[in-house]
Amino acid sequence: MKQYVVDAFTDEVFKGNPAAVCLPEAWPSDELMTHIALENRFSETAFIVREPQGYHLRWFTPGGEIDLCGHATLASAYVVMHFVEPDADEVVFHTLSGDLTVTRRQDAIGGEVFVMDFPAYDLEPVSVTDAMERALGVRPVEAWLGRDLLCVLDDEQTVRNLHPDMAALRKLDGLLVNVTAKADSDTGFDCVSRSFAPKLNVVEDPVCGSGHCHVLPYWSRRLGKTHLTAYQASRRGGVIHASVGMGRVNLGGSAALFSIGEILPGA
């Protein structure tokens, strides 16, 4: 089974969010896909099988299958458009979150950008609790719940300096915990965020696309903007260019190939 490792939301290796992309000829068992994800130890490993109706894409974390993943979808599109259909500039993936379209474009300086059309999560306001404060080490000013918990903090430096308690985060509502704040005015970004996923055996996701399907709709409403640029302030860091509207989020980013390998048949 061919496997590619791609760094997403960056144009440089060793930055952004690494994802493994596997291209089996037919579906492996769920158990084997889980073992491969555990062996890789990335936040997500993607599996793509070309079926009569098109490309079917599934994502596995070290903790099991997940319903939506942005960076591994970007990485998957990079692999398809570079190694499977190099003349294609669009690919549609059939997923647990419906059909996801990824388009390849050029940026202003001729670089390659992949734009993903994703669903926006509906956010409901929830009360800020002492449990949130204990888990994060700071008290959020607002909290919202979709698939994930979204905690809004006072300022960018608080987000960057956060050292949350992973055991306490596991007890909070939501699959992931995303923390965000308005970016400092001199950075050129609209918002800064971090994403934690201890329930999926991922301490911190370096750049979380599905998390930004919570973060960006919030900031779009708050700032009155439909086009935003977000920075994920993990150790690796990453940039997401986005537009928000009509219940959808278009996430754009670059990708860099790190490696090509072969998973042995006996795996």
Side-chain angles (χ1 to χ4, degrees):
M1 185 192 311
K2 198 71 113 180
Q3 176 174 275
Y4 302 81
V5 176
V6 178
D7 292 337
F9 294 116
T10 180
D11 56 5
E12 300 178 57
V13 294
F14 307 122
K15 295 184 179 180
N17 199 350
V21 180
C22 299
L23 298 179
E25 294 184 2
W27 285 111
S29 67
D30 286 7
E31 180 182 19
L32 178 55
M33 289 189 283
T34 300
H35 282 313
I36 292 171
L38 281 166
E39 188 76 8
N40 284 330
R41 297 181 65 84
F42 296 126
S43 55
E44 269 86 16
T45 295
F47 296 86
I48 306 169
V49 172
R50 193 169 190 174
E51 299 175 339
Q53 66 270 32
Y55 292 104
H56 188 172
L57 172 62
R58 297 173 69 183
W59 310 277
F60 281 76
T61 76
E65 189 168 13
I66 194 170
D67 67 328
L68 184 64
C69 176
H71 82 280
T73 301
L74 193 159
S76 296
Y78 176 96
V79 169
V80 169
M81 294 184 203
H82 278 259
F83 300 102
V84 182
E85 293 190 62
D87 293 330
D89 286 322
E90 181 177 285
V91 60
V92 178
F93 294 115
H94 307 300
T95 78
L96 287 175
S97 290
D99 288 353
L100 303 178
T101 301
V102 186
T103 305
R104 176 165 55 181
R105 302 175 184 172
Q106 285 191 334
D107 62 18
I109 59 174
E112 188 178 61
V113 175
F114 297 89
V115 179
M116 303 176 290
D117 179 18
F118 272 25
Y121 285 101
D122 292 327
L123 297 175
E124 295 292 334
V126 294
S127 298
V128 173
T129 65
D130 293 342
M132 294 177 191
E133 183 175 3
R134 287 193 297 269
L136 295 173
V138 297
R139 193 168 187 87
V141 295
E142 297 178 36
W144 300 77
L145 188 64
R147 182 199 69 178
D148 303 344
L149 180 64
L150 176 65
C151 292
V152 183
L153 305 187
D154 279 321
D155 57 66
E156 175 178 331
Q157 292 307 312
T158 303
V159 172
R160 289 180 177 271
N161 296 330
L162 207 63
H163 296 284
D165 181 326
M166 291 297 138
L169 284 183
R170 282 180 175 269
K171 298 177 182 179
L172 299 180
D173 291 335
L175 185 63
L176 280 71
V177 177
N178 302 297
V179 295
T180 188
K182 184 179 178 181
D184 293 343
S185 59
D186 60 350
T187 63
F189 302 113
D190 293 293
C191 59
V192 171
S193 305
R194 292 172 68 188
S195 300
F196 304 96
K199 293 177 184 177
L200 299 172
N201 293 331
V202 175
V203 174
E204 181 170 4
D205 197 14
V207 189
C208 187
S210 62
H212 277 85
C213 292
H214 300 72
V215 170
L216 290 163
Y218 169 84
W219 285 112
S220 177
R221 291 194 298 270
R222 179 75 176 271
L223 300 176
K225 300 175 67 173
T226 58
H227 293 82
L228 303 100
T229 303
Y231 184 73
Q232 187 106 33
S234 65
R235 182 177 60 83
R236 294 174 64 104
V239 177
I240 299 175
H241 302 281
S243 62
V244 180
M246 303 297 291
R248 307 293 293 182
V249 181
N250 284 344
L251 304 173
S254 303
L257 179 67
F258 174 69
S259 68
I260 302 174
E262 192 80 25
I263 296 177
L264 301 178

